[in-house]
Amino acid sequence: MEHLLTCTTEELALMMAVSDQPKMARGMMDESFGKKTEREWIAIMEAMSHQLIMKRMWDPEKEKNDENPLNEEVRSFIDKYVHSERMIRCSNLPMQSVLMLHHYEGDQWLFHVIDRDIVHEFALLESSEIKATIRDFYGIEYESYAGEQTFDLTYRDFDRLRDPKKVDKIQRKTPFTESEEHSFELFTEDLKRFDWTLFNISNFSIHSREDQSFAENILFFLPSHRGIWISEHQEEQDRPAHFYLADYEEWDTILQGIQDFVELQTQEA
């Protein structure tokens, strides 16, 4: 993996703002720190320009001449970053981090990790490294695999899982078999450990920066001491949200499928 850049959210916002992406820059800042007044925004950007000068990424002489003050390498990087048409987003709430993989050009992808919504790390990798990169990002380990565990939910109950007050009601009203009920109890133990939040990996197609991105594929999962809980859609079922406990081999197969899918999509683009 070839390291490209490490910066703060504010520094990235400034680089985007002077690269003809002011709305995107303000949106990112508002999402991270709340809405700022115009005066606050200008003060933050001025402070960040001094930091970029120290990093030798900002030319104050060009700025005085009303030229783009970023060096050519940084301008090229920002342009490819903001115009990427495909992205994989991997959430990791317990670690307060997000991994985003943006299609860069050809067979290259942009590795983008956001740590606590403060620090952004960028690097380049090949599409063949996607599976290993996602696997390493999560670093899932379990003590011993608990074997076959499955249960099914309606989509309404799937959405209710985030509310611990409704979990008992789900268990009482769902016609689980004895084995499904046991699996559901094991699952809710793990869900409680992660503050009632499922992890997810989303695959986005971005047709225009003026429009919203489109999620083409979303995988919901949950690490466990017993394996990895996976959720998948079952067509034409009364309870279409199917959960099952996967082992390392199955997890590896799922990540390989994500890599194969995006490789195919970028080849067809």
Side-chain angles (χ1 to χ4, degrees):
M1 193 179 297
E2 177 189 349
H3 178 264
L4 285 181
L5 174 68
T6 300
C7 64
T8 65
T9 298
E10 296 95 332
E11 289 171 338
L12 181 58
L14 174 57
M15 289 187 280
M16 292 167 61
V18 299
S19 299
D20 298 323
Q21 299 295 331
K23 289 177 64 176
M24 188 183 297
R26 288 294 293 267
M28 182 173 63
M29 286 288 291
D30 290 346
E31 184 177 347
S32 297
F33 306 111
K35 288 189 178 294
K36 302 293 182 184
T37 65
E38 189 65 23
R39 180 177 295 180
E40 289 173 325
W41 168 256
I42 292 172
I44 291 171
M45 293 300 99
E46 286 180 350
M48 291 308 103
S49 69
H50 297 157
Q51 292 186 194
L52 293 182
I53 289 172
M54 290 188 291
K55 291 184 175 183
R56 300 180 184 276
M57 296 166 59
W58 185 280
D59 188 335
E61 291 302 317
K62 287 185 177 180
E63 182 182 13
K64 289 179 182 178
N65 296 327
D66 290 327
E67 299 177 44
N68 191 316
L70 296 176
N71 64 47
E72 185 174 344
E73 183 179 359
V74 174
R75 290 203 309 272
S76 176
F77 158 73
I78 293 294
D79 182 68
K80 291 175 183 176
Y81 165 62
V82 301
H83 290 103
S84 173
E85 295 185 348
R86 182 158 294 279
M87 176 182 72
I88 304 169
R89 186 183 187 279
C90 307
S91 69
N92 193 335
L93 290 177
M95 295 296 294
Q96 298 183 60
S97 63
V98 176
L99 166 65
M100 292 189 286
L101 301 173
H102 310 263
H103 184 237
Y104 201 63
E105 59 180 357
D107 198 41
Q108 288 187 317
W109 286 73
L110 185 66
F111 169 97
H112 178 194
V113 165
I114 308 173
D115 181 19
R116 291 165 295 173
D117 218 10
I118 299 172
V119 178
H120 299 249
E121 181 181 353
F122 295 93
L124 285 180
L125 69 154
E126 301 297 315
S127 60
S128 59
E129 300 175 89
I130 288 175
K131 178 182 75 173
T133 299
I134 298 175
R135 185 182 59 216
D136 292 346
F137 174 68
Y138 287 113
I140 296 175
E141 296 182 352
Y142 55 81
E143 296 165 6
S144 61
Y145 179 56
E148 183 177 352
Q149 305 288 340
T150 68
F151 63 91
D152 301 328
L153 297 176
T154 65
Y155 283 139
R156 185 181 182 187
D157 286 340
F158 177 93
D159 291 336
R160 288 174 169 177
L161 288 174
R162 70 189 72 181
D163 185 348
K165 296 178 181 178
K166 295 180 179 179
V167 170
D168 286 343
K169 184 177 181 181
I170 293 172
Q171 186 170 359
R172 288 196 312 270
K173 292 201 168 185
T174 304
F176 288 136
T177 64
E178 185 176 340
S179 62
E180 284 179 323
E181 186 156 3
H182 176 65
S183 296
F184 184 74
E185 289 172 352
L186 295 180
F187 169 79
T188 53
E189 286 179 16
D190 295 319
L191 191 60
K192 181 179 180 180
R193 186 163 60 95
F194 288 109
D195 197 25
W196 309 96
T197 302
L198 290 171
F199 291 60
N200 71 79
I201 300 174
S202 307
N203 189 346
F204 290 93
S205 174
I206 308 167
H207 298 299
S208 169
R209 286 291 165 177
E210 297 301 321
D211 298 325
Q212 292 184 347
S213 54
F214 299 92
E216 294 183 341
N217 195 296
I218 303 177
L219 170 71
F220 291 99
F221 66 97
L222 185 70
S224 169
H225 294 309
R226 311 170 182 91
I228 306 107
W229 292 103
I230 304 294
S231 174
E232 63 182 16
H233 171 70
Q234 295 183 130
E235 292 285 347
E236 300 179 359
Q237 298 292 323
D238 293 335
R239 290 181 281 152
H242 176 64
F243 285 84
Y244 68 95
L245 192 67
D247 58 12
Y248 286 132
E249 184 176 356
E250 177 71 16
W251 176 239
D252 196 68
T253 299
I254 290 169
L255 297 185
Q256 182 65 53
I258 293 172
Q259 176 175 299
D260 292 344
F261 177 78
V262 297
E263 283 183 319
L264 178 63
Q265 294 300 310
T266 53
Q267 288 170 8
E268 293 178 348

